[in-house]
């Protein structure tokens, strides 16, 4: 574990030719961009959580069967401030930073006041988003950073909040058939209300001969949903998407806003304000993209924590969506560096194994259906939606598989019926050691792994002209 989590990674500023085992087909050309935490110590200070580490960008340029690799730290404002001070001076979600003890009282007072309504970090370490012709490093705050995909140079900083009122946003947007970006974020106590905001960034904008306009300036809100609790909004990492609908799970893994506002003065991290409420429901919101309105039916299921949606699609008047679900929030807890430094197999295990679950909701309600009846008539799934009183529907999932995380699909089938999930195998501890191809139809799987090899999230690339869903490369 020391190799994975206890060593800061060095930059590889100039491309270096990688050693290739086997043969890469000549049709595979392009650049694979990756993003993730690379530095967890600055000077003598250390981050508490693995997801706090400073963002390290990676590129793998593939051409004529060869691969060239380079990497570079994202030169965010956070990175620059930390490096200049030679200590962690910008707070991350799991690590609260405090002013230099040599600062005067006035400077310290300003630091405390600035954390009541936090100006979150621009350490964009989670994903890469394509927006029009541009590429952005993303995180779960309101900031994204434009990058040069060839040199990995850090370019301008973009604040979502200038265009749409959100303070947090997912790093897993969707792309529709036209290339538009669909994403969502949380607006905290805007005019007294906390809302979940779904928005669209166009792939193209009207040409301006005098000045190139950014698609970000043409963001459009699709829908806003009031949080069940304005002071305790749900944490979420992704959402489901089809051609006509968006699926959002308001899960009982909640961020306490009042605790967050006082976290700095209490000497605790913002992450400590996240709590899983196992007595609460998980609410299922289905939004019609054509009208911009959520369905009036109140769908819900048992308490759970979902980080990754797999796919969603429409079938015979129903909406089906697949997720990787946990019974609690132990996954987030185990990524504290203090836990990762242990022998995980011996000393730290999930209290909940990840499960691939399929849910189904009816898109048209049968008003004459009896209370207790199953509203799902599909033969393709055993998932159920049971009608209750007061226009409520309890959704009971179909268990498809266990031990999968970081799921990917053939993205050409995003929002459509599909068969295969490509994922990392994760059992009772968080370190994946195999890549899995799971067949939803036959409930079977193929696995690949090697000793001392820890695979990252797989990416499926279809063969040019492929007709079969799984004809391609990982």
């Amino acid at each position: 574990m020391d190799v994975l989590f206890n060593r800061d990674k060095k930059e590889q500023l100039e491309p270096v030719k990688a050693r290739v085992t086997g043969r890469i087909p000549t049709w595979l050309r392009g650049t694979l961009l990756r993003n993730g935490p690379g530095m967890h110590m600055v000077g003598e200070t250390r981050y508490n959580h693995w997801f706090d580490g400073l963002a390290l960008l990676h590129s793998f340029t593939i051409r004529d069967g060869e691969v060239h690799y380079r990497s570079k730290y994202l030169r965010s404002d956070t990175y620059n401030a930390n490096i200049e001070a030679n200590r962690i001076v910008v707070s991350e979600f799991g690590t609260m930073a405090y002013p230099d003890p040599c600062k005067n009282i006035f400077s310290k007072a300003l630091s405390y006041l600035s954390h009541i309504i936090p100006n979150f970090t621009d350490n964009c370490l989670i994903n890469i988003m394509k927006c029009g012709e541009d590429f952005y490093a993303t995180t779960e705050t309101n900031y994204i950073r434009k990058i040069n995909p060839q040199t990995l140079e850090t370019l301008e900083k973009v604040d979502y909040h200038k265009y749409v009122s959100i303070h947090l946003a997912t790093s897993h947007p969707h792309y529709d058939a036209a290339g538009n970006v669909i994403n969502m974020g949380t607006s905290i106590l805007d005019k007294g209300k906390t809302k979940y905001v779904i928005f669209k960034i166009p792939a193209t904008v009207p040409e301006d001969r005098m000045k190139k306009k950014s698609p970000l300036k043409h963001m459009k809100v699709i829908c806003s949903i009031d949080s069940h609790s304005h002071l305790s909004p749900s944490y979420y990492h992704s959402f489901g998407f089809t051609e006509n609908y968006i699926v959002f799970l308001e899960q009982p893994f909640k961020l306490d806003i009042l605790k967050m506002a006082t976290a700095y003065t209490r000497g605790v991290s913002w992450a400590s304000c996240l709590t899983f409420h196992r007595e609460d429901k998980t609410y299922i919101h289905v939004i019609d993209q054509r009208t911009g309105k959520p369905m009036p039916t109140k769908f819900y299921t048992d308490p759970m924590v979902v980080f990754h949606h797999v796919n969603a699609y429409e079938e015979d008047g129903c909406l089906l969506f697949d997720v990787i679900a946990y019974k609690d929030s132990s996954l987030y807890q185990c990524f504290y560096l203090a836990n990762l430094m242990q022998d995980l197999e011996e000393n730290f295990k999930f209290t909940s194994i990840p499960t691939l679950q399929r849910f189904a909701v009816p898109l048209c309600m049968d008003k004459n259906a009896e209370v207790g009846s199953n509203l799902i008539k599909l033969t393709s799934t055993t998932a159920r939606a049971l009608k209750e009183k007061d226009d409520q529907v309890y959704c009971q999932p179909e268990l498809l598989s266990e031990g999968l995380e970081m799921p990917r699909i053939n993205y050409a089938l995003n929002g459509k019926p599909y068969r295969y999930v490509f994922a990392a195998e994760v059992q009772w501890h968080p370190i994946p050691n195999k890549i899995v191809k799971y067949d939803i139809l036959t409930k079977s799987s193929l696995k690949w792994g090697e000793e001392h090899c820890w695979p990252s999230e797989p990416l499926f690339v279809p063969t040019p002209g492929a007709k079969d869903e799984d004809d391609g490369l990982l």
Side-chain angles (χ1 to χ4, degrees):
M1 294 305 100
D2 181 72
V3 174
L4 285 179
F5 301 112
N6 202 31
R7 297 183 187 178
D8 289 343
K9 310 301 185 291
K10 294 182 179 180
E11 295 176 310
Q12 178 61 49
L13 298 178
E14 296 300 322
V16 59
K17 185 177 179 180
R19 178 171 58 87
V20 175
T21 301
R23 184 182 65 86
I24 298 175
T26 55
W27 61 259
L28 185 63
R29 295 186 177 192
T31 299
L32 171 63
L33 298 174
R34 290 291 203 189
N35 193 1
M39 185 187 301
H40 289 91
M41 283 198 69
V42 183
E44 297 300 316
T45 56
R46 177 189 289 274
Y47 287 113
N48 295 328
H49 201 279
W50 191 66
F51 297 151
D52 292 343
L54 293 173
L56 182 61
L57 303 172
H58 309 262
S59 74
F60 302 82
T61 301
I62 304 170
R63 187 180 181 88
D64 299 329
E66 295 182 349
V67 180
H68 288 82
Y69 169 78
R70 76 192 307 167
S71 63
K72 190 172 185 177
Y73 278 102
L74 183 76
R75 263 51 174 191
S76 61
D77 292 352
T78 297
Y79 175 94
N80 292 333
N82 287 344
I83 297 302
E84 181 179 356
N86 195 35
R87 60 191 294 269
I88 297 170
V89 295
V90 180
S91 298
E92 298 292 336
F93 206 64
T95 306
M96 191 64 78
Y98 289 90
D100 190 317
C102 296
K103 279 189 173 183
N104 60 40
I105 294 176
F106 181 70
S107 296
K108 290 182 179 180
L110 285 178
S111 295
Y112 280 86
L113 288 172
S114 69
H115 281 77
I116 294 175
I117 301 177
N119 182 21
F120 290 114
T121 178
D122 69 334
N123 177 33
C124 301
L125 77 161
I126 298 179
N127 203 0
I128 303 292
M129 177 180 77
K130 188 175 187 294
C131 182
E133 298 301 318
D134 299 323
F135 292 83
Y136 294 86
T138 67
T139 184
E140 292 188 326
T141 73
N142 51 302
Y143 292 115
I144 57 177
R145 293 297 304 234
K146 186 178 178 181
I147 63 169
N148 183 315
Q150 280 76 45
T151 65
L152 301 184
E153 178 187 2
T154 303
L155 304 174
E156 61 259 34
K157 176 181 178 179
V158 175
D159 183 356
Y160 275 140
H161 196 73
K162 290 183 178 180
Y163 310 110
V164 59
S165 180
I166 57 172
H167 302 89
L168 303 168
T170 85
S171 268
H172 289 286
H174 287 275
Y175 304 90
D176 65 18
N180 302 310
V181 178
I182 313 296
N183 204 0
M184 66 179 297
T186 302
S187 176
I188 300 174
L189 293 178
D190 182 28
K191 298 179 182 179
K193 293 185 176 181
T194 297
K195 297 181 178 182
Y196 309 108
V197 182
I198 301 167
F199 59 93
K200 177 188 290 188
I201 307 173
T204 59
V205 297
E207 291 186 11
D208 187 330
R209 295 180 181 178
M210 300 298 294
K211 185 178 180 180
K212 182 180 178 182
K213 292 185 178 180
S214 168
L216 292 162
K217 296 180 179 180
H218 294 264
M219 284 189 198
K220 178 183 177 182
V221 173
I222 297 174
C223 179
S224 293
I225 303 168
D226 284 351
S227 171
H228 271 79
S229 170
H230 293 306
L231 294 177
S232 297
S234 173
Y235 170 82
Y236 53 97
H237 188 70
S238 61
F239 59 98
F241 174 85
T242 74
E243 180 182 358
N244 297 309
Y245 296 93
I246 288 170
V247 184
F248 165 57
L249 298 179
E250 188 177 6
Q251 54 196 14
F253 190 28
K254 299 179 181 180
L255 179 63
D256 189 311
I257 301 301
L258 295 180
K259 287 184 178 180
M260 187 179 74
T262 59
Y264 191 77
T265 57
R266 293 185 293 113
V268 298
S269 70
W270 291 318
S272 69
C273 308
L274 269 175
T275 305
F276 178 64
H277 299 263
R278 62 181 67 253
E279 71 281 1
D280 289 352
K281 301 174 181 177
T282 298
Y283 295 100
I284 302 171
H285 299 281
V286 179
I287 298 92
D288 190 328
Q289 294 191 67
R290 296 161 296 188
T291 64
K293 295 181 179 180
M295 291 183 60
T297 306
K298 299 174 184 177
F299 299 108
Y300 76 94
T301 188
D302 297 322
M304 62 180 181
V305 174
V306 170
F307 293 96
H308 295 116
H309 283 248
V310 183
N311 199 8
Y313 62 92
E314 301 159 41
E315 180 182 330
D316 293 338
C318 296
L319 179 67
L320 288 81
F321 64 94
D322 301 340
V323 298
I324 304 295
Y326 296 81
K327 292 182 179 179
D328 57 33
S329 58
S330 61
L331 173 68
Y332 188 86
Q333 298 301 318
C334 81
F335 274 96
Y336 279 97
L337 290 177
N339 293 326
L340 291 174
M341 291 305 101
Q342 302 180 42
D343 184 337
L344 290 170
E345 293 192 17
E346 294 295 327
N347 300 316
F348 193 95
K349 293 185 178 182
F350 292 149
T351 54
S352 168
I353 194 169
T355 56
L356 174 59
Q357 298 184 14
R358 170 163 290 177
F359 288 85
V361 298
L363 293 173
C364 295
M365 286 291 294
D366 181 0
K367 295 181 179 180
N368 297 318
E370 294 182 1
V371 171
S373 63
N374 180 19
L375 303 175
I376 304 301
K377 307 303 180 184
L378 302 176
T379 59
S380 61
T381 181
T382 59
R384 302 199 300 168
L386 304 177
K387 185 177 180 180
E388 297 183 346
K389 296 179 180 179
D390 302 324
D391 200 30
Q392 291 193 94
V393 175
Y394 169 65
C395 297
Q396 191 176 69
E398 174 186 2
L399 176 62
L400 297 176
S401 184
E402 295 183 339
L404 302 181
E405 249 300 358
M406 298 185 289
R408 297 296 290 264
I409 62 170
N410 181 337
Y411 202 77
L413 296 177
N414 188 50
K416 303 175 183 177
Y418 76 116
R419 180 172 175 177
Y420 299 105
V421 180
F422 306 98
E425 184 178 64
V426 176
Q427 294 295 333
W428 289 99
H429 59 88
I431 312 304
N433 56 17
K434 288 185 175 69
I435 291 292
V436 180
K437 173 190 175 184
Y438 180 74
D439 187 332
I440 294 174
L441 183 63
T442 65
K443 306 294 191 295
S444 62
S445 62
L446 294 174
K447 300 181 181 181
W448 174 88
E450 286 186 1
E451 190 176 6
H452 305 303
C453 179
W454 298 279
S456 64
E457 180 182 46
L459 176 67
F460 180 84
V461 182
T463 302
K467 296 182 179 179
D468 295 330
E469 178 182 341
D470 59 342
D471 184 357
L473 302 173
L474 285 182

